[in-house]
Amino acid sequence: MVAVLDVGKTNVKLSAVGADGAVVETISIPNPVLPGPPWRHHDLKSLGEWVFETLAALSRRYDLAALVTAGHGSGGVLTGADPDAGDGAVLPMIDYEQTLPADIRDGYAPLAGSFLDRGSATMHGATHQARQLYWMEEREPDAFGKARWYLGLPQYWAWRLSGVAASETSFLGAQSHLWNVAESRWAPIVRARGWEPLMAPFAKAWQALGPIRTELVQRYGLPGEMRVLTGGHDSSLNHYRYHAAGLRDFTVISTGTWIVGFSRSTPLERLDEHRGMTLNSDVFGNSLGGILTMGGREFSHVAGGDPPAEHASLDVLAHLVAQRTFAVPSFGDDDGLFPGSAGRGRILGSPPETAMGRKVLALLYCALLTVECIETLSEDRLVVLDGSFLRDPLYAGVVAALLPERQVRFNLDTYGVAAGAALLAGHETRDGPAPLTLSEPPDLGVLQRQLFRYAADWRRLSRGELGNRDELRNTKGSLHG
C-alpha cells in the first residue's frame, strides 16, 4: 500500500491507498494558519508533528511501502540545510490568500516576465511562488541569505521525510512563475534575482528520493524501509490517474474550491491569460493547457452558507430556466473566465425564494462555468468530470446536455488526487491500465432545448453583450440586480 499526503489550502489529508488507487482510510485536519509577523503563514511545526504521528499510526495498521505528497500549486517553503532544525524553514510559509503590500505588488510586476514565463495571469493575493520569494527577499534579506533551498510544497514534505531536496515539473508548472513549461527552463526572474542556487535538482514525480530519515524512524516509530517519492501538483496527479488508466486525448475537469481543467491538446496560441487560462505541466514535463476559476467559492456566494443536503431538484431547475433567473459572474475578487467581472456578480430575474432554489441556481451557474471552461480549452471529444460537484447528479446532466457533440463522463470517486498520487508508486512496474469506472450523466430530456437558449443568454450576459436588459423582456420575469 501507499501513503498519500494531500496538502490543500484548507485541509490536509493523509490516506492509506491501495496500489490500484483505491482509498482504504483517510485522516484529515484543517491546515493551520498563524497571523504575522512577518506575514500570515502556515504552521508547519504543528502540522509536521501531526504528519509524522499520523503516518506512524497508519503504518501500524497497513503495510505502507511508499509515501507520495500532493500539494496545491501556490505554496513553497524557503528552507535551511537541515530538515530536522525545527520545521526546516528559514522563513514562515506564506499564506497565499493574504493581500500583498502595495510596494511588493508593484515591484514584482515588471519582473514577472511573459505569459509563457509565468504560465498564468498574475492572480490575486500572494498566489505565485515567485512573488512569495520576492516578498521574502525584500522584507527579510538577512534570513533569506541563510537559505539553502526553495522547495515546492510536496517536495518540502519529501525533504522533511527523506532529507533529499528536489524540484519537480508538474508543481513548478502550476503557476509558480518560476518555470517556463513551454521551453523547459527557469523563468527570467530566477536568474535576475540570483535564485538559481536555491533551486534543487529535478526529479520525476514517481522517483524515490530515499527512505525515511533515521531520526524520524527513531523518534516516531516510522517504517525505515518506506520509500519517499518526489510527489507533484495535486491537479496534475489527478490528471495522471486518467493517463494511468489508458485514456488519451481527453479533457478533465475537476471541481472543488476551484474548477480546474486540463487538456494535452490545447495549442499554445489558444491560451489567453485574461480568461483564466494557464500553461501547466503533466508529470512527464509535457505542456498541459489549463483553465481555472473559483467555482466552489462562486457556488457558496449563490447558494448561501447552508445549502440543503438533498440532491438538486429537476423541477426547480426547469422553473428557474423558464422564468429566466440568472447568476452571472463574478461574485468573488477574481475575474475568472470573464475579464473585468470581479466583484460584479449578481442575480438577474426573479431571485430564488427557497434554499433549494438558491442551491439549484448555484449548481446551474457552476455547470455553465464548466461548459465555458471546456469549450474554451479544447475540442477533445472525451470530457471527464470529477470532484465535489459530482455529488449532485444534476450538475453532470446539465454539462452533458449543453455539450451534445462530446462524450461526457463522470467519475464519482472523490479521491482523485490520492488515487493519482498512489498510482505513481507503480509507474515503472505497472503492466496494464489502472482500473477506472466512468459513468454517464442523466438525460435531461425535453429540458435540453430550453437549456440551450438559457445558456446562450447567460453567456451574452456574462460577457456584457446584453447591456440593454430590455432584450430579455420577452421572457418571464423581470431582470433586476
Side-chain angles (χ1 to χ4, degrees):
M1 298 193 73
V2 180
V4 175
L5 176 62
D6 181 3
V7 184
K9 172 62 175 68
T10 306
N11 296 294
V12 179
K13 294 180 282 190
L14 189 59
S15 302
V17 188
D20 60 354
V23 175
V24 177
E25 182 180 351
T26 296
I27 305 169
S28 66
I29 62 165
N31 195 347
V33 176
L34 300 173
W39 38 68
R40 196 167 71 231
H41 57 276
H42 290 277
D43 186 356
L44 297 176
K45 186 175 187 302
S46 67
L47 184 57
E49 291 295 317
W50 179 85
V51 168
F52 302 145
E53 290 173 359
T54 306
L55 182 59
L58 277 181
S59 70
R60 290 191 288 270
R61 294 197 287 276
Y62 307 99
D63 183 14
L64 301 174
L67 178 135
V68 188
T69 302
H72 67 83
S74 297
V77 185
L78 191 67
T79 80
D82 182 3
D84 214 31
D87 60 14
V90 298
L91 284 168
M93 176 186 164
I94 293 173
D95 174 3
Y96 78 83
E97 288 197 294
Q98 67 188 304
T99 302
L100 279 174
D103 64 312
I104 298 300
R105 181 193 64 230
D106 297 341
Y108 175 76
L111 303 173
S114 69
F115 169 69
L116 292 183
D117 292 324
R118 291 180 275 108
S120 75
T122 300
M123 298 164 67
H124 67 286
T127 297
H128 310 289
Q129 294 176 59
R131 192 158 52 175
Q132 295 167 18
L133 267 178
Y134 175 72
W135 189 358
M136 292 179 187
E137 187 173 32
E138 288 294 300
R139 285 293 189 271
E140 302 287 343
D142 292 342
F144 193 95
K146 298 174 184 176
R148 178 62 189 93
W149 302 114
Y150 181 74
L151 301 174
L153 196 51
Q155 289 72 52
Y156 163 76
W157 288 106
W159 174 73
R160 289 285 306 275
L161 285 157
S162 72
V164 179
S167 297
E168 191 273 330
T169 54
S170 75
F171 197 80
L172 285 168
Q175 299 85 59
S176 72
H177 289 194
L178 292 168
W179 183 248
N180 184 315
V181 173
E183 300 175 16
S184 297
R185 60 167 173 80
W186 295 111
I189 193 173
V190 176
R191 176 169 293 181
R193 300 292 294 191
W195 294 341
E196 289 167 300
L198 296 173
M199 303 302 162
F202 278 88
K204 299 295 187 184
W206 59 82
Q207 185 174 327
L209 300 179
I212 300 284
R213 292 190 294 117
T214 302
E215 294 87 342
L216 297 180
V217 172
Q218 295 174 346
R219 192 183 317 162
Y220 295 96
L222 294 171
E225 67 279 5
M226 182 186 291
R227 296 175 293 132
V228 179
L229 277 56
T230 308
H233 177 227
D234 49 14
S235 295
S236 299
L237 297 190
N238 186 61
H239 181 271
Y240 170 75
R241 72 185 302 215
Y242 297 107
H243 178 93
L247 301 190
R248 299 294 183 269
D249 302 321
F250 65 97
T251 294
V252 61
I253 299 285
S254 300
T255 61
T257 301
W258 294 87
I259 296 173
V260 181
F262 281 151
S263 172
R264 282 279 306 276
S265 68
T266 309
L268 291 180
E269 59 271 17
R270 185 169 182 159
L271 299 176
D272 181 355
E273 64 177 299
H274 303 295
R275 298 209 62 221
M277 301 192 77
T278 62
L279 177 59
N280 287 69
S281 170
D282 65 13
V283 297
F284 307 104
N286 301 312
S287 296
L288 276 179
I291 193 163
L292 73 167
T293 187
M294 292 192 86
R297 298 282 172 87
E298 294 288 289
F299 179 93
S300 296
H301 278 293
V302 177
D306 190 23
E310 296 86 356
H311 284 167
S313 162
L314 182 61
D315 290 341
V316 174
L317 174 67
H319 177 69
L320 290 171
V321 170
Q323 75 173 12
R324 318 295 284 168
T325 298
F326 297 87
V328 295
S330 294
F331 292 85
D333 59 1
D334 188 75
D335 283 344
L337 311 177
F338 298 96
S341 68
R344 299 178 63 187
R346 61 210 187 278
I347 293 175
L348 303 177
S350 299
E353 297 177 353
T354 65
M356 177 56 77
R358 291 191 297 274
K359 175 180 177 176
V360 174
L361 181 62
L363 200 70
L364 173 59
Y365 172 42
C366 288
L368 291 163
L369 288 174
T370 299
V371 171
E372 189 76 10
C373 285
I374 294 165
E375 294 190 326
T376 302
L377 188 59
S378 80
E379 276 85 36
D380 293 329
R381 185 167 185 273
L382 175 61
V383 175
V384 179
L385 308 174
D386 68 22
S388 59
F389 288 172
L390 274 303
R391 296 169 188 161
D392 202 306
L394 206 58
Y395 165 77
V398 173
V399 173
L402 293 174
L403 296 171
E405 303 303 317
R406 309 227 194 186
Q407 185 183 57
V408 177
R409 298 291 182 266
F410 66 92
N411 182 3
L412 284 176
D413 178 2
T414 58
Y415 297 100
V417 173
L423 289 168
L424 283 176
H427 176 77
E428 295 178 312
T429 57
R430 190 178 303 111
D431 57 7
L436 177 67
T437 301
L438 298 179
S439 303
E440 292 191 37
D443 186 349
L444 299 190
V446 296
L447 186 57
Q448 184 175 27
R449 180 175 296 181
Q450 291 94 316
L451 275 170
F452 271 122
R453 182 184 176 197
Y454 179 95
D457 285 340
W458 175 86
R459 181 172 291 167
R460 294 166 68 197
L461 285 164
S462 299
R463 294 178 176 177
E465 295 171 4
L466 286 181
N468 183 354
R469 295 176 182 179
D470 287 341
E471 294 183 50
L472 292 179
R473 292 294 186 189
N474 61 338
T475 66
K476 294 182 179 179
S478 62
L479 295 178
H480 53 84

